[in-house]
Amino acid sequence: MINEEANKNLSAIMVIFGGTGDLTQRKLMPALYNLVYDRLLPENFAVVAIGRKNKTDRQYRDEVFESINMYSRNKIDVRCWERLRDIIYYLQFDFTDQEGYEKLRHFLKELDEKYNTGGNRVFYLAVAPEYFELIVQGLSEHRLAHQNGAWTRLVIEKPFGRDLNTARRLNNKLNEVFDESSIYRIDHYLGKEMIQNIMVLRFCNTVFESLWSNKYIDNVQISLCEQNGVGTRGGYYENSGAMRDMVQNHILQILSMVAMEPPVNLKTESIRTEKLKVIQAIEDFTNEKLRNNVVFGQYGRGVIDGKPVVSYREEENIPPKSTTETFVALKLHINNFRWAGTPFYIRTGKRMGKTSSEIVIQFKELPEILYFKEGYVQVPNLLVIRIQPNVGVFFQFNTKDFSTYNDIVSTKMDTSYYNPTTGNTPEAYERLIYDILRGDATLFSRWDEVEASWIFADKIIEYRAKKKFDFPNYNAGSMGPAKAFELLAVNGRRWWEV
Ligand code: BG6
């Protein structure tokens, strides 16, 4: 239970643009429901969902009920549902319609009084990115962006721009109305349990942090693999591809948490500053490195869970000669004292053989002086941070085999448990929405991190755009193109599937 003072500061009206959209129905509303369930939603709170379709509050609330029923991690408890139901309102207007913003302003004032929310606002833009500027402008022109003596926070879903220039332009537009401290750029991966656990594992364990460098770590692998194809999101994905969809944001955020220096304290800006330095220290991709250290893929037909599936080019809204990548693997170096010489391998793809997100830390091998002689293959120490669907930590080390005279066996310590419901779930959004209300931006990307990520991603995206690829080059249901395996094999390494 939160205390009264905290509760007062959390009081707000959350305005969701895109109230009838997929994100709101599948993630945001179930997340709000679970916050009620866990008694974390402030007492003085209301939600205004905005959509273009005409519907009454009652109709909208019924739809939300169905969504919660389907996607919430907690079953519907009548009292919790009624608590949420009664504070949800639906307002119909088109984002281009100026009168709509006036209508919104009056309505919010009414609700402020009714719910004693003190004028605090969260504007959550759960809409296609082409509407971001338009809505922010509407908020500004209709005096919705700032209230005296109250806070206003703007929440932006990805994609934040489609390259460095568009991201800068968008950021400048947002900054005309909101300052950086009021902008919350969502990266839902940061809301995941094991991503937050990276810092705890590193900075609360002598054994890990003292070995956390190029002296003891041979390589780091970050894999975000999905069995899903592009489904109904072909229109968006075709213009995005795996680089923009996963690498520029989720993967670089994870990489920066794995590789950052210990922050001076746990304050938001201290952590963000250390993360930024990692992205800035990524070694530049020369032409030679682009040729040798980058692998793109696109899935062809194949079999997933025993069922045949179509190729990317046969998916809805995808042109038959599409050159968009649905898979990327990269080898990169972080040029600083801690990491020089230790490669980071990253890969992500759709329609792969399994759905699994994990970080593998492979420690260096020992000299073969005392053990591992005479034909023994040395199995390295591995620390695996399992993000999903298994959640937890796996550690592999060597011990003597109990049953033989002197054999060495690789022993696996696994604290992880299978959680079929992890993924892009409401849970991550629960944490993130709660943090927005508390005004804690630690798990959101700061502008300079986004900027540095685009500088990195643009170079690789430009390379892909210029090059001709022989797509499709991996079968759905496989672990990606052969070249992704060669990327490690040249140095005698391999992707670990533990
Ligand atoms: C989203 C991407 O950001 O993350 C999707 O746009 C992807 O393409 C999803 O499927 C993966 O998230 P999760 O949480 O399911 O691993």
Side-chain angles (χ1 to χ4, degrees):
M1 242 321 218
I2 42 186
N3 67 37
E4 212 175 287
E5 190 45 34
N7 198 11
K8 199 167 141 217
N9 292 333
L10 264 58
S11 304
I13 302 176
M14 179 163 160
V15 180
I16 306 177
F17 287 87
T20 54
D22 206 47
L23 180 77
T24 307
Q25 296 297 328
R26 290 164 73 113
K27 319 282 186 224
L28 304 185
M29 289 299 178
L32 287 170
Y33 170 76
N34 286 317
L35 288 174
V36 174
Y37 196 95
D38 289 340
R39 298 172 162 208
L40 289 171
L41 205 71
E43 254 153 53
N44 304 329
F45 192 76
V47 181
V48 177
I50 296 170
R52 269 181 280 209
K53 296 176 195 137
N54 241 328
K55 44 183 104 213
T56 61
D57 286 339
R58 171 120 194 237
Q59 281 166 332
Y60 185 73
R61 290 169 177 176
D62 287 348
E63 285 170 21
V64 171
F65 178 83
E66 291 307 322
S67 302
I68 293 173
N69 215 358
M70 212 174 316
Y71 301 112
S72 163
R73 69 185 166 87
N74 287 308
K75 288 219 169 79
I76 298 249
D77 168 280
V78 177
R79 274 205 291 181
C80 293
W81 161 243
E82 284 174 358
R83 155 95 178 97
L84 181 65
R85 181 197 62 195
D86 295 346
I87 56 168
I88 293 181
Y89 297 87
Y90 182 78
L91 194 66
Q92 185 274 330
F93 77 88
D94 190 305
F95 313 140
T96 53
D97 170 16
Q98 297 305 309
E99 273 172 33
Y101 294 90
E102 279 302 301
K103 203 160 71 172
L104 176 63
R105 193 159 59 82
H106 291 299
F107 190 44
L108 292 181
K109 241 176 143 195
E110 220 175 273
L111 293 183
D112 269 339
E113 272 158 38
K114 181 163 180 188
Y115 292 99
N116 195 17
T117 44
N120 297 333
R121 311 263 188 266
V122 175
F123 291 111
Y124 199 121
L125 308 194
V127 294
E130 56 265 33
Y131 297 112
F132 291 168
E133 281 181 41
L134 187 73
I135 293 172
V136 168
Q137 209 177 338
L139 294 177
S140 165
E141 282 169 14
H142 296 273
R143 293 175 290 135
L144 279 151
H146 302 283
Q147 331 293 321
N148 279 344
W151 53 256
T152 302
R153 297 180 185 135
L154 179 76
V155 187
I156 299 256
E157 276 285 337
K158 77 169 230 287
F160 197 90
R162 59 171 285 107
D163 54 22
L164 179 62
N165 285 338
T166 49
R168 274 193 179 142
R169 200 187 110 92
L170 171 63
N171 200 55
N172 289 342
K173 286 278 167 204
L174 300 186
N175 280 158
E176 284 171 15
V177 182
F178 294 99
D179 58 21
E180 175 64 25
S181 65
S182 317
I183 303 175
Y184 287 66
R185 299 177 192 83
I186 290 243
D187 186 312
H188 79 272
Y189 259 76
L190 297 182
K192 290 183 195 275
E193 187 54 39
M194 286 313 291
I195 301 298
Q196 292 160 48
N197 229 316
I198 296 173
M199 280 185 58
V200 175
L201 268 175
R202 286 191 53 192
F203 305 131
C204 296
N205 291 295
T206 318
V207 286
F208 298 136
E209 192 49 25
S210 53
L211 302 180
W212 212 259
S213 75
N214 51 9
K215 286 199 184 65
Y216 299 103
I217 294 179
D218 179 79
N219 73 88
V220 177
Q221 303 178 9
I222 300 174
S223 298
L224 306 189
C225 307
E226 292 180 82
Q227 279 189 315
N228 282 341
V230 289
T232 52
R233 297 168 72 227
Y236 151 77
Y237 197 87
E238 176 59 12
N239 289 313
S240 167
M243 273 305 297
R244 290 190 177 98
D245 190 48
M246 299 294 283
V247 178
Q248 182 270 335
N249 33 68
H250 307 320
I251 288 198
L252 287 185
Q253 284 291 323
I254 296 174
L255 176 83
S256 62
M257 298 200 79
V258 171
M260 73 181 185
E261 293 300 314
V264 288
N265 54 40
L266 291 179
K267 291 193 177 137
T268 304
E269 297 315 322
S270 310
I271 296 172
R272 287 166 147 192
T273 299
E274 294 308 331
K275 282 167 59 202
L276 171 68
K277 287 187 202 161
V278 173
I279 306 173
Q280 288 172 331
I282 298 175
E283 194 176 82
D284 197 24
F285 274 78
T286 56
N287 286 341
E288 192 194 338
K289 289 219 170 89
L290 285 167
R291 267 194 312 277
N292 298 331
N293 295 354
V294 182
V295 179
F296 293 111
Q298 188 193 76
Y299 61 84
R301 292 179 184 171
V303 177
I304 299 269
D305 283 341
K307 294 195 190 95
V309 294
V310 296
S311 68
Y312 176 69
R313 291 176 175 182
E314 294 167 304
E315 301 270 18
E316 205 182 308
N317 293 326
I318 306 297
K321 289 193 175 160
S322 164
T323 57
T324 297
E325 82 285 1
T326 60
F327 175 96
V328 191
L330 302 173
K331 174 184 175 184
L332 57 87
H333 282 98
I334 296 170
N335 256 347
N336 61 19
F337 262 62
R338 187 186 283 263
W339 293 114
T342 294
F344 284 71
Y345 297 98
I346 62 185
R347 69 175 165 172
T348 181
K350 297 234 179 253
R351 281 286 186 237
M352 294 182 65
K354 61 175 187 178
T355 293
S356 147
S357 298
E358 51 190 32
I359 305 161
V360 179
I361 314 288
Q362 179 180 337
F363 291 90
K364 288 194 168 164
E365 294 199 342
L366 289 160
E368 296 176 356
I369 296 172
L370 299 176
Y371 293 95
F372 311 115
K373 290 189 287 190
E374 294 150 18
Y376 268 108
V377 177
Q378 192 175 150
V379 182
N381 291 142
L382 295 181
L383 173 69
V384 183
I385 299 170
R386 299 198 201 262
I387 305 165
Q388 62 193 41
N390 279 45
V391 184
V393 178
F394 168 101
F395 188 54
Q396 176 173 287
F397 56 104
N398 293 308
T399 54
K400 182 189 158 299
D401 187 358
F402 289 120
S403 58
T404 61
Y405 181 66
N406 214 9
D407 280 354
I408 301 154
V409 286
S410 154
T411 305
K412 296 158 190 3
M413 226 162 65
D414 196 351
T415 71
S416 68
Y417 62 95
Y418 178 68
N419 183 346
T421 64
T422 57
N424 188 359
T425 55
E427 278 100 319
Y429 281 90
E430 282 164 42
R431 167 71 200 242
L432 296 171
I433 292 173
Y434 187 56
D435 281 358
I436 295 162
L437 295 174
R438 293 192 310 139
D440 182 347
T442 314
L443 299 179
F444 298 80
S445 326
R446 196 167 69 186
W447 162 244
D448 47 11
E449 294 177 69
V450 176
E451 191 177 39
S453 305
W454 274 124
I455 293 171
F456 166 81
D458 271 359
K459 191 143 198 192
I460 295 167
I461 294 168
E462 274 162 28
Y463 169 69
R464 192 219 58 185
K466 281 193 212 128
K467 218 177 143 174
K468 281 213 165 70
F469 292 98
D470 202 10
F471 284 164
N473 60 353
Y474 70 99
N475 292 336
S478 72
M479 288 308 283
K483 280 214 159 90
F485 293 88
E486 291 162 20
L487 192 64
L488 287 80
V490 285
N491 300 99
R493 300 184 176 111
R494 64 181 171 100
W495 294 105
W496 290 100
E497 316 279 349
V498 291

Tab-separated table of all heavy atoms in Angstrom, residues 27 157-159 186-189 192 224-226 228-230 233 236-237 240-242 244-246 249-250 348-350 355-357 387-388 422-425 428-429, ligand 1:
chain	number	residue	atom	x	y	z
A	27	LYS	N	-2.452	-4.180	-23.509
A	27	LYS	CA	-1.426	-3.941	-22.480
A	27	LYS	C	-1.831	-2.908	-21.430
A	27	LYS	O	-1.690	-3.146	-20.242
A	27	LYS	CB	-0.105	-3.444	-23.111
A	27	LYS	CG	0.299	-4.125	-24.367
A	27	LYS	CD	0.897	-5.469	-24.108
A	27	LYS	CE	1.405	-6.039	-25.406
A	27	LYS	NZ	1.085	-7.408	-25.620
A	157	GLU	N	5.333	6.059	-27.220
A	157	GLU	CA	5.699	4.692	-27.579
A	157	GLU	C	6.705	4.744	-28.723
A	157	GLU	O	6.826	5.745	-29.410
A	157	GLU	CB	4.443	3.935	-28.030
A	157	GLU	CG	3.632	3.360	-26.894
A	157	GLU	CD	4.272	2.118	-26.268
A	157	GLU	OE1	5.082	1.436	-26.922
A	157	GLU	OE2	3.946	1.829	-25.096
A	158	LYS	N	7.401	3.647	-28.937
A	158	LYS	CA	8.313	3.630	-30.063
A	158	LYS	C	7.527	3.403	-31.356
A	158	LYS	O	6.411	2.929	-31.267
A	158	LYS	CB	9.386	2.577	-29.861
A	158	LYS	CG	8.934	1.126	-30.110
A	158	LYS	CD	10.123	0.230	-30.132
A	158	LYS	CE	10.158	-0.663	-31.308
A	158	LYS	NZ	9.225	-1.757	-31.340
A	159	PRO	N	7.975	3.684	-32.571
A	159	PRO	CA	9.317	4.137	-32.850
A	159	PRO	C	9.484	5.645	-32.628
A	159	PRO	O	8.594	6.425	-32.972
A	159	PRO	CB	9.481	3.808	-34.329
A	159	PRO	CG	8.090	3.856	-34.885
A	159	PRO	CD	7.190	3.436	-33.780
A	186	ILE	N	8.980	5.202	-23.886
A	186	ILE	CA	8.821	3.820	-23.414
A	186	ILE	C	9.705	2.863	-24.198
A	186	ILE	O	9.746	2.912	-25.421
A	186	ILE	CB	7.349	3.364	-23.587
A	186	ILE	CG1	6.445	4.086	-22.602
A	186	ILE	CG2	7.232	1.850	-23.498
A	186	ILE	CD1	5.751	3.241	-21.597
A	187	ASP	N	10.432	2.026	-23.477
A	187	ASP	CA	11.044	0.848	-24.077
A	187	ASP	C	10.591	-0.285	-23.168
A	187	ASP	O	11.119	-0.450	-22.063
A	187	ASP	CB	12.572	0.975	-24.074
A	187	ASP	CG	13.208	-0.179	-24.828
A	187	ASP	OD1	12.815	-1.335	-24.557
A	187	ASP	OD2	14.068	0.053	-25.685
A	188	HIS	N	9.599	-1.050	-23.620
A	188	HIS	CA	8.954	-1.967	-22.668
A	188	HIS	C	9.915	-3.036	-22.151
A	188	HIS	O	9.677	-3.633	-21.118
A	188	HIS	CB	7.681	-2.578	-23.256
A	188	HIS	CG	7.931	-3.706	-24.209
A	188	HIS	ND1	8.147	-3.521	-25.538
A	188	HIS	CD2	8.027	-5.043	-23.997
A	188	HIS	CE1	8.344	-4.682	-26.124
A	188	HIS	NE2	8.284	-5.629	-25.211
A	189	TYR	N	11.032	-3.255	-22.856
A	189	TYR	CA	12.006	-4.227	-22.351
A	189	TYR	C	12.546	-3.816	-20.983
A	189	TYR	O	12.851	-4.644	-20.153
A	189	TYR	CB	13.154	-4.436	-23.351
A	189	TYR	CG	12.938	-5.719	-24.113
A	189	TYR	CD1	12.000	-5.782	-25.136
A	189	TYR	CD2	13.616	-6.885	-23.768
A	189	TYR	CE1	11.741	-6.961	-25.785
A	189	TYR	CE2	13.364	-8.075	-24.418
A	189	TYR	CZ	12.429	-8.111	-25.428
A	189	TYR	OH	12.169	-9.292	-26.056
A	192	LYS	N	10.864	-5.183	-17.977
A	192	LYS	CA	10.913	-6.628	-17.692
A	192	LYS	C	11.779	-6.909	-16.474
A	192	LYS	O	12.831	-6.300	-16.290
A	192	LYS	CB	11.470	-7.384	-18.909
A	192	LYS	CG	10.524	-7.397	-20.089
A	192	LYS	CD	11.102	-8.214	-21.213
A	192	LYS	CE	10.375	-7.951	-22.509
A	192	LYS	NZ	9.184	-8.717	-22.718
A	224	LEU	N	17.543	-12.033	-28.849
A	224	LEU	CA	16.094	-11.851	-28.675
A	224	LEU	C	15.417	-12.547	-29.861
A	224	LEU	O	15.338	-11.981	-30.952
A	224	LEU	CB	15.699	-10.370	-28.646
A	224	LEU	CG	16.388	-9.430	-27.642
A	224	LEU	CD1	15.712	-8.071	-27.619
A	224	LEU	CD2	16.403	-9.986	-26.228
A	225	CYS	N	15.040	-13.781	-29.664
A	225	CYS	CA	14.503	-14.591	-30.766
A	225	CYS	C	13.006	-14.801	-30.582
A	225	CYS	O	12.549	-15.027	-29.464
A	225	CYS	CB	15.168	-15.960	-30.790
A	225	CYS	SG	16.955	-15.862	-30.810
A	226	GLU	N	12.306	-14.745	-31.690
A	226	GLU	CA	10.849	-14.924	-31.618
A	226	GLU	C	10.378	-15.940	-32.643
A	226	GLU	O	10.853	-15.924	-33.784
A	226	GLU	CB	10.140	-13.615	-31.979
A	226	GLU	CG	10.300	-12.500	-31.007
A	226	GLU	CD	9.536	-11.273	-31.489
A	226	GLU	OE1	8.320	-11.209	-31.275
A	226	GLU	OE2	10.159	-10.400	-32.113
A	228	ASN	N	7.199	-15.921	-33.488
A	228	ASN	CA	6.151	-15.172	-34.202
A	228	ASN	C	6.676	-14.578	-35.501
A	228	ASN	O	7.833	-14.182	-35.570
A	228	ASN	CB	5.658	-14.010	-33.343
A	228	ASN	CG	4.700	-14.487	-32.281
A	228	ASN	OD1	4.142	-15.582	-32.397
A	228	ASN	ND2	4.525	-13.696	-31.244
A	229	GLY	N	5.780	-14.483	-36.460
A	229	GLY	CA	6.107	-13.749	-37.674
A	229	GLY	C	5.630	-12.314	-37.512
A	229	GLY	O	5.426	-11.861	-36.377
A	230	VAL	N	5.396	-11.619	-38.614
A	230	VAL	CA	4.969	-10.237	-38.463
A	230	VAL	C	3.464	-10.112	-38.251
A	230	VAL	O	2.967	-9.041	-37.898
A	230	VAL	CB	5.393	-9.335	-39.649
A	230	VAL	CG1	6.874	-9.115	-39.627
A	230	VAL	CG2	4.924	-9.894	-40.951
A	233	ARG	N	1.009	-6.970	-38.493
A	233	ARG	CA	1.742	-5.693	-38.432
A	233	ARG	C	2.638	-5.475	-39.639
A	233	ARG	O	3.592	-4.688	-39.586
A	233	ARG	CB	2.578	-5.641	-37.162
A	233	ARG	CG	1.760	-5.681	-35.892
A	233	ARG	CD	2.630	-5.930	-34.700
A	233	ARG	NE	3.456	-4.800	-34.325
A	233	ARG	CZ	4.758	-4.886	-34.048
A	233	ARG	NH1	5.385	-6.028	-34.152
A	233	ARG	NH2	5.430	-3.825	-33.685
A	236	TYR	N	3.550	-1.864	-40.810
A	236	TYR	CA	4.552	-1.191	-39.981
A	236	TYR	C	5.917	-1.840	-40.178
A	236	TYR	O	6.926	-1.173	-40.399
A	236	TYR	CB	4.126	-1.278	-38.500
A	236	TYR	CG	5.298	-1.278	-37.543
A	236	TYR	CD1	5.977	-0.093	-37.250
A	236	TYR	CD2	5.756	-2.472	-36.967
A	236	TYR	CE1	7.083	-0.109	-36.393
A	236	TYR	CE2	6.855	-2.484	-36.121
A	236	TYR	CZ	7.513	-1.305	-35.835
A	236	TYR	OH	8.606	-1.311	-35.016
A	237	TYR	N	5.957	-3.158	-40.127
A	237	TYR	CA	7.245	-3.847	-40.083
A	237	TYR	C	8.034	-3.668	-41.384
A	237	TYR	O	9.258	-3.534	-41.368
A	237	TYR	CB	7.023	-5.343	-39.807
A	237	TYR	CG	8.301	-6.019	-39.351
A	237	TYR	CD1	8.660	-6.035	-38.012
A	237	TYR	CD2	9.165	-6.617	-40.274
A	237	TYR	CE1	9.842	-6.619	-37.590
A	237	TYR	CE2	10.351	-7.198	-39.861
A	237	TYR	CZ	10.674	-7.202	-38.520
A	237	TYR	OH	11.850	-7.773	-38.105
A	240	SER	N	10.150	-0.914	-41.266
A	240	SER	CA	10.969	-0.851	-40.068
A	240	SER	C	12.108	-1.868	-40.141
A	240	SER	O	13.287	-1.501	-40.218
A	240	SER	CB	10.039	-1.118	-38.880
A	240	SER	OG	10.758	-1.361	-37.738
A	241	GLY	N	11.759	-3.150	-40.171
A	241	GLY	CA	12.791	-4.186	-40.194
A	241	GLY	C	13.360	-4.380	-38.795
A	241	GLY	O	13.120	-3.577	-37.881
A	242	ALA	N	14.133	-5.443	-38.657
A	242	ALA	CA	14.624	-5.829	-37.326
A	242	ALA	C	15.549	-4.778	-36.717
A	242	ALA	O	15.570	-4.598	-35.504
A	242	ALA	CB	15.338	-7.171	-37.414
A	244	ARG	N	15.411	-1.446	-36.897
A	244	ARG	CA	14.639	-0.367	-36.249
A	244	ARG	C	13.702	-0.912	-35.176
A	244	ARG	O	13.446	-0.267	-34.176
A	244	ARG	CB	13.793	0.384	-37.287
A	244	ARG	CG	14.599	1.226	-38.241
A	244	ARG	CD	13.672	2.124	-39.060
A	244	ARG	NE	14.420	2.992	-39.933
A	244	ARG	CZ	14.647	2.754	-41.227
A	244	ARG	NH1	14.174	1.656	-41.792
A	244	ARG	NH2	15.338	3.602	-41.951
A	245	ASP	N	13.186	-2.107	-35.427
A	245	ASP	CA	12.169	-2.655	-34.525
A	245	ASP	C	12.771	-3.139	-33.206
A	245	ASP	O	12.160	-2.985	-32.149
A	245	ASP	CB	11.452	-3.816	-35.237
A	245	ASP	CG	10.223	-4.286	-34.487
A	245	ASP	OD1	9.417	-3.422	-34.105
A	245	ASP	OD2	10.066	-5.505	-34.277
A	246	MET	N	13.954	-3.722	-33.267
A	246	MET	CA	14.509	-4.352	-32.056
A	246	MET	C	15.901	-3.853	-31.664
A	246	MET	O	16.200	-3.729	-30.483
A	246	MET	CB	14.594	-5.877	-32.264
A	246	MET	CG	13.288	-6.573	-32.508
A	246	MET	SD	12.147	-6.554	-31.100
A	246	MET	CE	12.852	-7.812	-30.046
A	249	ASN	N	16.527	0.023	-30.310
A	249	ASN	CA	15.956	0.314	-28.995
A	249	ASN	C	16.253	-0.788	-27.981
A	249	ASN	O	17.175	-0.661	-27.181
A	249	ASN	CB	14.457	0.561	-29.135
A	249	ASN	CG	13.880	-0.298	-30.275
A	249	ASN	OD1	13.822	-1.517	-30.175
A	249	ASN	ND2	13.513	0.349	-31.373
A	250	HIS	N	15.485	-1.903	-28.050
A	250	HIS	CA	15.584	-2.908	-26.985
A	250	HIS	C	17.011	-3.441	-26.819
A	250	HIS	O	17.534	-3.516	-25.715
A	250	HIS	CB	14.661	-4.094	-27.271
A	250	HIS	CG	13.240	-3.702	-27.531
A	250	HIS	ND1	12.598	-2.718	-26.824
A	250	HIS	CD2	12.322	-4.160	-28.421
A	250	HIS	CE1	11.352	-2.603	-27.264
A	250	HIS	NE2	11.165	-3.466	-28.238
A	348	THR	N	18.736	-10.997	-33.373
A	348	THR	CA	17.289	-10.944	-33.146
A	348	THR	C	16.591	-11.311	-34.438
A	348	THR	O	17.087	-11.002	-35.527
A	348	THR	CB	16.839	-9.546	-32.662
A	348	THR	OG1	15.419	-9.566	-32.437
A	348	THR	CG2	17.145	-8.434	-33.661
A	349	GLY	N	15.476	-11.989	-34.327
A	349	GLY	CA	14.785	-12.356	-35.551
A	349	GLY	C	13.376	-12.838	-35.284
A	349	GLY	O	13.012	-13.193	-34.168
A	350	LYS	N	12.603	-12.811	-36.359
A	350	LYS	CA	11.232	-13.327	-36.297
A	350	LYS	C	11.233	-14.708	-36.950
A	350	LYS	O	12.107	-15.032	-37.748
A	350	LYS	CB	10.300	-12.407	-37.084
A	350	LYS	CG	10.247	-11.010	-36.480
A	350	LYS	CD	8.827	-10.581	-36.201
A	350	LYS	CE	8.749	-9.219	-35.587
A	350	LYS	NZ	8.404	-9.241	-34.159
A	355	THR	N	11.202	-19.180	-29.171
A	355	THR	CA	11.034	-17.842	-28.618
A	355	THR	C	11.851	-17.788	-27.348
A	355	THR	O	11.576	-18.524	-26.396
A	355	THR	CB	9.554	-17.578	-28.300
A	355	THR	OG1	8.844	-17.527	-29.543
A	355	THR	CG2	9.366	-16.245	-27.591
A	356	SER	N	12.858	-16.975	-27.362
A	356	SER	CA	13.701	-16.917	-26.171
A	356	SER	C	14.545	-15.654	-26.196
A	356	SER	O	15.126	-15.296	-27.213
A	356	SER	CB	14.578	-18.165	-26.164
A	356	SER	OG	15.816	-17.912	-25.607
A	357	SER	N	14.566	-14.966	-25.060
A	357	SER	CA	15.421	-13.785	-24.935
A	357	SER	C	16.395	-14.047	-23.814
A	357	SER	O	15.973	-14.329	-22.685
A	357	SER	CB	14.592	-12.555	-24.570
A	357	SER	OG	13.671	-12.293	-25.588
A	387	ILE	N	15.686	-13.886	-19.856
A	387	ILE	CA	14.666	-12.823	-19.781
A	387	ILE	C	13.266	-13.401	-19.991
A	387	ILE	O	12.339	-13.098	-19.265
A	387	ILE	CB	14.969	-11.725	-20.830
A	387	ILE	CG1	16.394	-11.193	-20.640
A	387	ILE	CG2	13.946	-10.606	-20.763
A	387	ILE	CD1	16.923	-10.384	-21.801
A	388	GLN	N	13.132	-14.260	-20.995
A	388	GLN	CA	11.842	-14.894	-21.277
A	388	GLN	C	12.010	-16.017	-22.290
A	388	GLN	O	12.971	-15.953	-23.059
A	388	GLN	CB	10.832	-13.865	-21.806
A	388	GLN	CG	11.293	-13.263	-23.114
A	388	GLN	CD	10.514	-12.040	-23.541
A	388	GLN	OE1	10.197	-11.202	-22.736
A	388	GLN	NE2	10.214	-11.952	-24.804
A	422	THR	N	5.341	-14.402	-19.992
A	422	THR	CA	6.222	-13.234	-20.132
A	422	THR	C	6.262	-12.841	-21.604
A	422	THR	O	5.746	-13.528	-22.452
A	422	THR	CB	7.657	-13.500	-19.647
A	422	THR	OG1	8.157	-14.604	-20.367
A	422	THR	CG2	7.715	-13.732	-18.170
A	423	GLY	N	6.923	-11.786	-21.892
A	423	GLY	CA	6.922	-11.284	-23.262
A	423	GLY	C	6.433	-9.866	-23.193
A	423	GLY	O	6.536	-9.207	-22.153
A	424	ASN	N	5.867	-9.425	-24.274
A	424	ASN	CA	5.407	-8.043	-24.334
A	424	ASN	C	4.082	-7.935	-23.560
A	424	ASN	O	3.028	-7.722	-24.130
A	424	ASN	CB	5.234	-7.688	-25.808
A	424	ASN	CG	4.957	-6.232	-25.996
A	424	ASN	OD1	4.876	-5.482	-25.028
A	424	ASN	ND2	4.789	-5.829	-27.225
A	425	THR	N	4.164	-8.142	-22.272
A	425	THR	CA	2.963	-8.342	-21.460
A	425	THR	C	2.576	-7.093	-20.664
A	425	THR	O	3.388	-6.190	-20.493
A	425	THR	CB	3.220	-9.449	-20.434
A	425	THR	OG1	4.382	-9.069	-19.712
A	425	THR	CG2	3.401	-10.783	-21.069
A	428	ALA	N	5.140	-5.660	-17.750
A	428	ALA	CA	6.165	-4.645	-17.984
A	428	ALA	C	5.501	-3.269	-17.937
A	428	ALA	O	6.034	-2.319	-17.362
A	428	ALA	CB	6.836	-4.868	-19.329
A	429	TYR	N	4.299	-3.179	-18.504
A	429	TYR	CA	3.593	-1.892	-18.528
A	429	TYR	C	3.114	-1.470	-17.140
A	429	TYR	O	3.014	-0.297	-16.857
A	429	TYR	CB	2.422	-1.949	-19.527
A	429	TYR	CG	2.912	-1.772	-20.939
A	429	TYR	CD1	3.277	-2.855	-21.716
A	429	TYR	CD2	3.062	-0.497	-21.479
A	429	TYR	CE1	3.765	-2.681	-22.996
A	429	TYR	CE2	3.551	-0.313	-22.760
A	429	TYR	CZ	3.900	-1.414	-23.513
A	429	TYR	OH	4.398	-1.240	-24.770
B	1	BG6	C1	8.183	-4.827	-29.956
B	1	BG6	C2	8.399	-5.066	-31.412
B	1	BG6	O1	8.794	-3.637	-29.548
B	1	BG6	O2	8.731	-5.901	-29.220
B	1	BG6	C3	7.795	-6.395	-31.833
B	1	BG6	O3	7.810	-4.011	-32.150
B	1	BG6	C4	8.319	-7.509	-30.978
B	1	BG6	O4	8.062	-6.663	-33.203
B	1	BG6	C5	8.161	-7.166	-29.519
B	1	BG6	O5	7.594	-8.684	-31.289
B	1	BG6	C6	8.844	-8.188	-28.662
B	1	BG6	O6	8.532	-7.934	-27.332
B	1	BG6	P1	8.409	-9.114	-26.305
B	1	BG6	O7	8.192	-8.423	-25.009
B	1	BG6	O8	7.255	-9.948	-26.735
B	1	BG6	O9	9.691	-9.873	-26.379
